[in-house]
Amino acid sequence: MSARPGPAPYLADLTTEEAERAVADSPLVLLPAGALEQHGPGLPLGTDLVRAERVAERVAARLDGRAVIGPSLPVGVSPHHLAFAGTLSLSVDTFRAVVHEYVGGLYRHGWRKVLVITGHGGNNAALTTVAQDLLADRPDLEFAWTPLTALAAEAVAAMDVSEVSGHSGEAETAQMLHLAPDLVRAGRLRPGTTALAGLDRLSRLARRRGHPALQVRYDRLSPDGVLGDPTRATGADGAAIVTAVVDRITDFAREWLQE
């Protein structure tokens, strides 16, 4: 099992007096965001939140008390996974409203820097619009958000990934093998859709990189919701990805915190 950082500075663990001091001592709030959605037969429904929270803990540990971890957003925007048991999804409007309410509460108590760390790509578009709204509504608030795996492109490129890879595939499984191996059902990992030839015409269009962008349901992309071959993943690959992600976010935060 991978080593976890020391006690994380979670806002929920503070008293109200400690929280009042934290506004000055820890001016950056990290909000982990994830999803409650299928991740194939081998990974838990909470995979995206687990990764976001563990990365937030590592970033906070490296910021020497200058950041506090706020409440998580455990359910995200996941309509594309609803065909699979256990998946819950918020509408875009509801997810946006929850983020707005979290940020508004933090703002009320004096925090002016908020960074959402999202392990779920389905949250990205909503977070972009939240950022735009906050520019107009709270011009003195500095709001940022970041994905995870996309920050480690070189580490992912160094892996042996399938032609089709992504959700619950090599990179995501590797991260879980590093961050939370006890939650991985290693004996149940199996390849999903691994080649473009295995997709229908509309699904192939949806998997093209860049734009135009097309959304399709994951039960159309893969019978078990897996894109790629998670059996190729290793904890060492996951460590390389997580290290790159934490380095990138920490570097951004350190520069951001310079007054």
Side-chain angles (χ1 to χ4, degrees):
M1 182 178 298
S2 63
R4 296 182 64 175
Y10 276 95
L11 180 60
D13 293 338
L14 305 181
T15 67
T16 185
E17 292 178 346
E18 291 167 343
E20 185 176 15
R21 292 192 295 270
V23 172
D25 296 338
S26 306
L28 172 61
V29 181
L30 307 175
L31 297 179
L36 190 69
E37 64 181 26
Q38 71 85 18
H39 277 80
L43 297 182
L45 297 170
T47 288
D48 293 340
L49 184 63
V50 169
R51 294 185 298 117
E53 288 181 335
R54 301 290 171 87
V55 165
E57 290 170 355
R58 283 157 174 75
V59 171
R62 290 177 55 179
L63 292 176
D64 302 320
R66 296 285 284 162
V68 64
I69 302 173
S72 296
L73 294 123
V75 180
V77 181
S78 304
H80 43 309
H81 293 288
L82 284 174
F84 296 93
T87 299
L88 301 181
S89 179
L90 299 181
S91 69
V92 171
D93 287 344
T94 299
F95 180 79
R96 282 167 38 84
V98 173
V99 176
H100 272 284
E101 294 290 343
Y102 278 18
V103 172
L106 294 166
Y107 183 92
R108 184 178 302 113
H109 294 297
W111 275 286
R112 294 295 182 267
K113 290 180 170 64
V114 178
L115 171 60
V116 177
I117 297 175
T118 179
H120 175 48
N123 297 335
N124 295 357
L127 289 169
T128 295
T129 61
V130 168
Q132 292 170 333
D133 288 345
L134 290 172
L135 282 176
D137 299 340
R138 302 187 188 277
D140 59 332
L141 173 74
E142 300 170 13
F143 176 87
W145 69 270
T146 182
L148 298 180
T149 309
L151 301 185
E154 291 186 3
V156 175
M159 296 177 61
D160 180 21
V161 300
S162 306
E163 180 185 25
V164 173
S165 183
H167 189 75
S168 307
E170 293 88 344
E172 194 165 34
T173 302
Q175 291 169 67
M176 287 296 286
L177 286 170
H178 172 62
L179 293 170
D182 53 311
L183 296 179
V184 178
R185 282 68 162 175
R188 302 199 64 188
L189 294 174
R190 60 174 181 261
T193 299
T194 59
L196 290 171
L199 298 173
D200 62 33
R201 179 182 57 82
L202 198 65
S203 297
R204 286 196 298 273
L205 282 173
R207 293 303 296 173
R208 281 191 180 184
R209 295 184 182 278
H211 294 273
L214 173 69
Q215 296 291 320
V216 298
R217 290 162 53 118
Y218 264 70
D219 53 315
R220 182 167 187 161
L221 292 171
S222 170
D224 63 2
V226 176
L227 299 181
D229 184 355
T231 66
R232 298 182 181 183
T234 69
D237 290 329
I241 294 171
V242 171
T243 296
V245 170
V246 172
D247 285 349
R248 180 87 171 268
I249 298 175
T250 302
D251 180 69
F252 178 93
R254 283 174 175 160
E255 185 171 349
W256 194 10
L257 287 165
Q258 290 178 2
E259 301 294 345

